[in-house]
Amino acid sequence: MDKQWAEVCCQVPAGLVDLLADFLVELSGNGVSIDNRALDTFTLDGIEEPDTATVRAYFNPATDMAGQLARIERFLGDNATAFGGAPIPTPTVTLIRDEDWSTGWRQHFVTTRIGRHLVIKPTWEPFTPEPGDRVIELDPGMAFGTGTHPTTRLCLEALETLGCPDRVLDVGTGSGILAIAAVRLGARQVIGTDIDPDAVIVAGENCALNGVEVELVTTPLALIPGRFDVVLANILAEDLVRMAGDLAAKVAAGGHLILSGILTERETFVVEGFDRSGLALVATSREGEWSCLVYRNRG
Ligand SMILES: C[S@@+](CC[C@H](N)C(=O)[O-])C[C@H]1O[C@@H](n2cnc3c(N)ncnc32)[C@H](O)[C@@H]1O
């Protein structure tokens, strides 16, 4: 017989989401889902922070649901004043089948193997790595850059193909997924930079979750000292071309530059934009409407 779940749905002020999510994870012993968060959107431009968000938690219906609901309502009541003071709607409970649950919110964030050994694993999923696997844990409730976007996947595949780099610079680090992957692949020193300070905070949380050390900064690219064995940039084509000189200047002799975030129809535009960079185009990969270009500094 199908297993069933009691889905408790709470509509709360955006500021309360993380606190409530932690509370519900502990209370239910299961993962939670957070709606109204833009995941894997390509840039932060135009994304407005919603005032409220919907947090869903999943309980075994055989447990004392009246008691659990009372605890949740008490938690919401205790925190309402600190987060705007407006009354928080009473949570709703819906009985759902296991099948609905697994084909609903979870289907977007399942453990994913990328390339040969990289594995992106949602925090709540159990996973037994195979020998040589490099596992990256992410909580998709936190930011874009979960590995579900083709531009991220193309970057990860290209990075793995290049082997074990020594120094890596991740330009536009977002969730930090590429920087974490670089550490997992053996990089000794990794710097992640992003113009968005919030992204840098999220990347810091993800690095801590994975127990990896990455230097995270908002420093403009031109001011980052040194050269790197691999420079990664998953940013839009126009930005890549605008930054071509600075990106190329960061690649050490014999090193590589991985460019992603390029719509296939803009591939020629980027190739022409890097014509005078002094780097040689050595590989191109594509997935759907996206292209990824790998350049080499022949030194
Ligand atoms: C599509 S996300 C990529 C996230 C992650 N690296 C990945 O591959 O999934 C692009 C990121 O680049 C950042 N960004 C855009 N322009 C930038 C610039 N000129 N310098 C640094 N970061 C930039 C954005 O804030 C955003 O976090």
Side-chain angles (χ1 to χ4, degrees):
M1 208 179 82
D2 261 358
K3 187 175 164 69
Q4 293 197 318
W5 295 92
E7 181 190 71
V8 176
C9 178
C10 311
Q11 176 107 28
V12 296
L16 182 53
V17 165
D18 290 344
L19 205 59
L20 175 64
D22 287 347
F23 173 77
L24 290 174
V25 166
E26 199 157 315
L27 193 65
S28 67
N30 290 308
V32 298
S33 75
I34 303 167
D35 294 351
N36 298 347
R37 295 288 285 268
L39 301 177
D40 271 350
T41 49
F42 201 74
T43 69
L44 291 177
D45 293 348
I47 298 174
E48 287 175 16
E49 274 300 311
D51 295 335
T52 61
T54 305
V55 182
R56 291 171 212 273
Y58 299 86
F59 293 81
N60 179 346
T63 56
D64 170 21
M65 281 310 297
Q68 300 289 45
L69 266 180
R71 280 178 208 108
I72 296 167
E73 285 190 53
R74 203 172 318 126
F75 175 89
L76 295 176
D78 289 348
N79 285 285
T81 321
F83 293 93
I88 295 174
T90 308
T92 57
V93 186
T94 314
L95 211 55
I96 60 167
R97 289 179 304 142
D98 195 32
E99 196 185 303
D100 299 334
W101 186 37
S102 56
T103 56
W105 65 280
R106 275 194 167 204
Q107 74 174 355
H108 301 294
F109 304 116
V110 291
T111 299
T112 309
R113 185 173 289 278
I114 296 176
R116 288 188 63 204
H117 290 299
L118 289 170
V119 176
I120 313 298
K121 183 185 104 54
T123 46
W124 64 83
E125 277 208 355
F127 175 73
T128 309
E130 288 173 18
D133 275 354
R134 319 288 165 111
V135 181
I136 299 166
E137 286 222 33
L138 285 178
D139 181 346
M142 293 198 284
F144 54 79
T146 58
T148 57
H149 201 285
T151 61
T152 309
R153 270 201 303 273
L154 288 166
C155 267
L156 289 168
E157 284 164 3
L159 183 63
E160 188 183 44
T161 305
L162 291 178
C164 174
D166 187 41
R167 296 188 75 222
V168 174
L169 175 63
D170 177 17
V171 183
T173 196
S175 67
I177 185 170
L178 304 179
I180 297 167
V183 177
R184 287 277 187 264
L185 289 168
R188 185 181 52 84
Q189 190 194 7
V190 181
I191 298 179
T193 179
D194 204 294
I195 46 169
D196 174 19
D198 288 340
V200 168
I201 291 170
V202 171
E205 289 168 353
N206 279 328
C207 287
L209 185 66
N210 285 276
V212 300
E213 243 183 74
V214 172
E215 188 184 338
L216 293 161
V217 295
T218 51
T219 315
L221 177 59
L223 301 181
I224 293 176
R227 287 173 178 248
F228 299 80
D229 301 299
V230 173
V231 177
L232 294 145
N234 179 11
I235 311 180
L236 291 170
E238 290 67 22
D239 292 319
L240 293 174
V241 169
R242 187 175 47 76
M243 296 160 76
D246 287 335
L247 284 166
K250 294 291 155 218
V251 185
H256 291 86
L257 171 64
I258 300 174
L259 301 178
S260 194
I262 305 161
L263 282 167
T264 301
E265 65 195 38
R266 304 292 280 157
E267 202 181 296
T268 310
F269 167 75
V270 177
V271 171
E272 284 172 3
F274 277 76
D275 260 357
R276 280 179 291 148
S277 66
L279 306 180
L281 179 62
V282 291
T284 304
S285 53
R286 301 185 186 96
E287 184 183 331
E289 58 183 349
W290 297 99
S291 298
C292 176
L293 306 176
V294 181
Y295 282 86
R296 182 158 195 262
N297 178 356
R298 295 214 160 108

